[in-house]
Every structure is written in structure tokens, then in C-alpha cells.
């Protein structure tokens, strides 16, 4: 992998990740852009103890442009985009309309391929590995920023999820705090560790699932399963079999196998509802340990956390979505219409031939 860092016309950082070590990236952003102005701030909810990002400037962000005006395609044929070069393998750049900025963190866009009509599932294994390497590199770089405590790499896929740009891409949020979801996990890990005299909760969960009926697929270094208390109709958790706190902790064997396992999972997701259905909308989310001190979680260190990816769809059956209505949105109590055992069975049934 070759990494080349440059700047866009408004001063934002852009980074090329290339498969070939001899690739030269010297294209200049020729757009007449004004400096980026953001109004992002973090407000603490005193009653719930969580935080909300207020980012009014995002109201003006690009919204469902036609394919020939996609800002994530390369610059070519006289049309200038967010990527100055005429081609690329993987690109990461600072979001022009970030939810988090400055002392409130940082937001980046990850373009998985220059092919507008592709999807992550259609990538080859080398390309998918390059994305993994880019995620890892950005996690490392962002973790050293003084305003960053947790790095979150994710992909929103499909208009039903709220995606406004159809080009295959994901995002990275670098939060200035430990997110509420992670804090809940860490509290559970701390309580379990104390109650069992030191057992790791993540290890216990993965061991139990590997021995049960909800395993979807596994390789030598990764295992994917539908969790016992799945929140979503089709939800899969992907864990490395050797517990590590973040992407940086993966060894070469796990990195090599990851594209095989993950691409197969994504392809199965597109088969859940039948060959004639539109592509399955999903969210793919990497959970990594925070980089700050974990003093509030007594007895827990970063090494007690387990890196894992959660992949789920909001489609519950053909043509029908799972909406977060009163119980979910009002009380955070999920009601799942698909038994996790049946979901796992279905995901095994649609294995690639």
C-alpha cells in the first residue's frame, strides 16, 4: 500500500491509498472553493448523560445528485469533484459538511472505489483489504489528535438508511468522548469481570455463540453470528477469534482472511430477500475501544474490549422496513420481528455457490 497525503482547494486533507507502490498522485484541486466554515458543537444531555452534536451547516450538504454530478467520482472529462485525480483506488478526505469538527472531533469520507456503480460486496479481495488498511491507518492517525477519544469507521448503504450519495463510500467519525453505546458495553464488561472473578464478557459471548445455532459462517481467524438478543431483523456480529481492542491489533493472518469472510457476508445480505429484490440496505459499524482513559469503568482496560463489526439491515421482509417507532425511539426497547435463529438459518441458506 502507498499512502499520499495532499490538500483540497479549501484546505481539507485528502489521502490516496494505492495498491501499486509506484503510483504518483500530484493532481491539484482546481475548484474555486471558499474555506470550509462549520458550526459544530457538542451539547451534553444532563438527564441522559449522553451528548448531541449540533451541526446546522449540514442542512446545505449535497443531496442526491445525478450520477454525472457525483462528488465522489474522480475528476475527469472537464468535471471537477472532491477527488482531483482522474482515477483512484481508495481515497479518504475530510468531510466538507462534518458533524464533528475542530475541538468537537473530526469526520472523514472513505471512498471504497472509483467505480460509481460498484458496491463493497462487488469489490475484489485486494481492494477490500486496501479499505481495511485505510481504516486501520486512519484509526491510528486520528487516535493521536488531542480532541479525539474514540474512532468509529462505518458504512451506510442504501437510500432507506438515509444515504444521499450513491457512490460506494463510508465514513469515519472521530469523537471527543466515549460514545454511549461503547460505555454501555464497558459497564457490562466491568460488572461481568467483577462477578466472575476476572472472566472477559466478550470472550464468554463469542465462545457461547460459536457453540450454538446462530453461527452464520466462520474461517480460521473470524467468526460471524446472529446475536442471541439481536435488535434488528437481520443482524450479524463479526469478531476476530483472537480478541484485540481495535483494528491496529489485528495480525497479518486476520487481515488476510478478513476480505474473504466480509465479502461473503455482504453478498449473502444481498440474497436474503431473493434475487429479484433491490440491493439490501444496511449499516456496517466497527466497534473499537476508546483511546482515552477508562477510569470510570472500574477494573477495565482497553485490552478488555473486543473489536467487532456489526452488520444489520432495516428491511424486515420483502418490501417492508423496520421502523424505530414508539418503543424503540421513545424507550430504547427494541422489538424484533425475526427470531435470531431463523435469521441465522436464512443467512446460511443463501451462501454463495
Amino acid at each position: 500500500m502507498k499512502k499520499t497525503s495532499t490538500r483540497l482547494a479549501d484546505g481539507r486533507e485528502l489521502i490516496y491509498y494505492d495498491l501499486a507502490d509506484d503510483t504518483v498522485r500530484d493532481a491539484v484541486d482546481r475548484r474555486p472553493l471558499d474555506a470550509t466554515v462549520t458550526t459544530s458543537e457538542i451539547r451534553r444531555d444532563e438527564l441522559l448523560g449522553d451528548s448531541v452534536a449540533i451541526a446546522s451547516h449540514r442542512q446545505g450538504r449535497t443531496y442526491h445528485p445525478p450520477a454525472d454530478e457525483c462528488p465522489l467520482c474522480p475528476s475527469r472529462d472537464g468535471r471537477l469533484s472532491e477527488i482531483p485525480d482522474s482515477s483512484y483506488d481508495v481515497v479518504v478526505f475530510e468531510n466538507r459538511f462534518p458533524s464533528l469538527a475542530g475541538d468537537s472531533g473530526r469526520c472523514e469520507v472513505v471512498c471504497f472505489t472509483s467505480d460509481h456503480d460498484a458496491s463493497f460486496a462487488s469489490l475484489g479481495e485486494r481492494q477490500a483489504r486496501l479499505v481495511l488498511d485505510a481504516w486501520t491507518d486512519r484509526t491510528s492517525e486520528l487516535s493521536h489528535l488531542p480532541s479525539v477519544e474514540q474512532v468509529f469507521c462505518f458504512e451506510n448503504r442504501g437510500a432507506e438508511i438515509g444515504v444521499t450519495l450513491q457512490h460506494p463510500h463510508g465514513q469515519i467519525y472521530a469523537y471527543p468522548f466515549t460514545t454511549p453505546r461503547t460505555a454501555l458495553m464497558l459497564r457490562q464488561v466491568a460488572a461481568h469481570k467483577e462477578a466472575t472473578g476476572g472472566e472477559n464478557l466478550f470472550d464468554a459471548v463469542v465462545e457461547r455463540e460459536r457453540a450454538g445455532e446462530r453461527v452464520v459462517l466462520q474461517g480460521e481467524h473470524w467468526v460471524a453470528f446472529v446475536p442471541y438478543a439481536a435488535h434488528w431483523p437481520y443482524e450479524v456480529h463479526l469478531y476476530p477469534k483472537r480478541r484485540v481492542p481495535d483494528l491496529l491489533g489485528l495480525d497479518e493472518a486476520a487481515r488476510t482472511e478478513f476480505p474473504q469472510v466480509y465479502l461473503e457476508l455482504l453478498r449473502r445480505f444481498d440474497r436474503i430477500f431473493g434475487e429479484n429484490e433491490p440491493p439490501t440496505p444496511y449499516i456496517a459499524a466497527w466497534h473499537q475501544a476508546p483511546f482515552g482513559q477508562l477510569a470510570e469503568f472500574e477494573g477495565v482496560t482497553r485490552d478488555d474490549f473486543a473489536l467487532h463489526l456489526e452488520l444489520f439491515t432495516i428491511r424486515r421482509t420483502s418490501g417492508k422496513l423496520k421502523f424505530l417507532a414508539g418503543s424503540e425511539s421513545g424507550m430504547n426497547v427494541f422489538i424484533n420481528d425475526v427470531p435470531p435463529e431463523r435469521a441465522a438459518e436464512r443467512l446460511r441458506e443463501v451462501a454463495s455457490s
Side-chain angles (χ1 to χ4, degrees), residues 88-91 110-114 119-120 123 127 131 135 154-155 167-171 282:
Y88 64 84
D89 291 337
V90 173
V91 164
V110 184
C111 298
F112 304 141
T113 171
S114 61
S119 68
F120 202 120
L123 301 181
Q127 187 75 8
V131 176
W135 282 331
F154 65 99
E155 180 192 2
H167 195 104
H169 73 287
Q171 299 180 66
Y282 65 73

Side-chain angles (χ1 to χ4, degrees), residues 82-97:
E82 288 280 68
I83 296 89
D85 218 325
S86 59
S87 66
Y88 64 84
D89 291 337
V90 173
V91 164
V92 177
F93 61 88
E94 287 185 76
N95 197 323
R96 191 177 180 186
F97 304 96

Side-chain angles (χ1 to χ4, degrees), residues 92-266:
V92 177
F93 61 88
E94 287 185 76
N95 197 323
R96 191 177 180 186
F97 304 96
S99 302
L100 309 167
D103 293 338
S104 298
R106 176 160 159 149
C107 292
E108 298 182 341
V109 177
V110 184
C111 298
F112 304 141
T113 171
S114 61
D115 184 354
H116 181 85
D117 298 317
S119 68
F120 202 120
S122 70
L123 301 181
E125 289 184 12
R126 289 187 70 219
Q127 187 75 8
R129 167 62 189 267
L130 184 61
V131 176
L132 175 64
D133 290 341
W135 282 331
T136 305
D137 180 72
R138 298 314 301 151
T139 296
S140 176
E141 292 289 327
L142 292 170
S143 70
H144 289 95
L145 296 180
S147 63
V148 172
E149 188 167 311
Q150 187 171 4
V151 179
F152 176 46
C153 307
F154 65 99
E155 180 192 2
N156 297 329
R157 193 261 192 122
E160 300 93 332
I161 299 292
V163 176
T164 58
L165 298 176
Q166 298 308 309
H167 195 104
H169 73 287
Q171 299 180 66
I172 301 175
Y173 277 21
Y175 297 102
F177 51 79
T178 296
T179 61
R181 183 76 178 276
T182 303
L184 285 173
M185 293 186 206
L186 290 168
R187 291 189 187 101
Q188 291 297 103
V189 169
H192 186 85
K193 191 174 185 179
E194 181 179 3
T196 60
E199 182 181 61
N200 182 274
L201 178 58
F202 286 108
D203 291 349
V205 168
V206 172
E207 182 179 358
R208 182 191 69 213
E209 294 290 1
R210 287 182 65 188
E213 60 181 316
R214 290 181 295 275
V215 171
V216 174
L217 63 89
Q218 61 180 316
E220 184 178 353
H221 304 284
W222 294 86
V223 59
F225 55 84
V226 178
Y228 171 73
H231 289 55
W232 299 93
Y234 291 90
E235 175 182 340
V236 175
H237 292 192
L238 176 63
Y239 279 79
K241 292 183 177 179
R242 181 179 68 87
R243 173 165 45 91
V244 296
D246 51 43
L247 289 165
L248 283 71
L250 293 174
D251 60 21
E252 182 58 30
R255 293 180 183 281
T256 299
E257 187 181 74
F258 171 77
Q260 305 162 25
V261 176
Y262 187 50
L263 291 173
E264 173 63 16
L265 270 182
L266 292 180

